[in-house]
Amino acid sequence: MTSVVVLDYGTGNVHSAVKALELAGADVTLTGDRKLALEADGLLVPGVGSFSAVMAALSDAHGGDIIDKRLSGGRAVMGICVGMQVMFEHGVERGINTEGLGEWPGTVTALPAPVLPHMGWNTVTPDAESVLFRGLEEERFYFVHSYAAQDWSLDVMPPFPVPRLTWAEHGSRFLAAVENGPLTATQFHPEKSGDAGIRLLKNWLGTLRD
């Protein structure tokens, strides 16, 4: 059975994420232990709240170092909601610019929508080569957020694979998910997205066994 650590650093929907991964077929451990987090087949990084609060909690738990070491070794990491946003260089919320983990270039900013937060079910437009959304191209997923990455500027040169980008719209187009080598992330909550979310997590688990 595929082992996954849900990183426990004091924020995020950790228990619902654990349950969803278990339903998807993973052997799940909820922990902030560095050794276990580095050794698991996959690491899931949840995130709820402001960009700055999540970054502060990750810093206190040395989560950024764990994530970076896993990725530098080609070991899978998946971020959810603000756990996706902090993978970018910066987040700007209410005029406060906070440095992110910098795994991807770009800045997370407020959606230019008349109604915020963007809360509820929405469709997505997956990349044609997406593995994460295989068999889920017509499904809807559950979002709760006011901020997002609204463009993508990472240039990837061969032999590295081209990132697979999935988009959604609320006020403007924004990144709903990214599949970039060992680093995968979703702006929506798979653990709140019913059967479609469980199937998506199964697709991610399948990449850990490849």
Side-chain angles (χ1 to χ4, degrees):
M1 186 177 288
T2 304
S3 64
V4 176
V5 160
V6 174
L7 188 62
D8 188 3
Y9 62 100
T11 184
N13 294 325
V14 290
H15 296 292
S16 55
V18 168
K19 182 177 180 181
L21 283 164
E22 289 175 341
L23 289 172
D27 177 16
V28 188
T29 303
L30 173 62
T31 182
D33 182 86
R34 175 186 175 86
K35 184 173 185 293
L36 293 176
L38 290 174
E39 291 179 350
D41 295 323
L43 178 70
L44 188 134
V45 183
V48 172
S50 71
F51 191 105
S52 59
V54 169
M55 279 303 303
L58 276 172
S59 178
D60 289 345
H62 305 288
D65 181 60
I66 292 171
I67 292 166
D68 191 60
K69 286 191 179 302
R70 282 190 63 91
L71 294 175
S72 64
R75 314 251 321 147
V77 174
M78 182 175 187
I80 290 177
C81 195
V82 186
M84 169 177 176
Q85 296 176 9
V86 296
M87 299 300 171
F88 289 87
E89 289 175 316
H90 297 276
V92 177
E93 295 188 4
R94 300 177 180 88
I96 300 173
N97 189 325
T98 303
E99 186 175 351
L101 296 177
E103 301 295 345
W104 294 322
T107 301
V108 172
T109 55
L111 291 169
V115 177
L116 291 175
H118 172 217
M119 180 182 297
W121 299 84
N122 201 352
T123 56
V124 301
T125 305
D127 186 285
E129 301 299 319
S130 172
V131 174
L132 198 64
F133 291 90
R134 189 169 291 160
L136 299 168
E137 293 82 0
E138 304 302 320
E139 296 289 348
R140 295 160 67 88
F141 298 89
Y142 192 82
F143 292 82
V144 184
H145 65 116
S146 298
Y147 301 85
Q150 296 167 63
D151 54 36
W152 181 261
S153 59
L154 178 66
D155 291 325
V156 176
M157 303 295 291
F160 298 103
V162 175
R164 301 168 181 134
L165 308 179
T166 294
W167 299 88
E169 289 195 21
H170 183 75
S172 72
R173 191 175 78 149
F174 67 88
L175 279 164
V178 176
E179 300 159 72
N180 178 211
L183 181 54
T184 298
T186 65
Q187 179 60 67
F188 57 84
H189 289 271
E191 77 281 9
K192 295 182 178 181
S193 296
D195 181 62
I198 302 302
R199 289 161 59 197
L200 180 137
L201 290 173
K202 285 183 178 179
N203 285 347
W204 180 62
L205 294 175
T207 68
L208 309 187
R209 295 188 288 267
D210 291 345

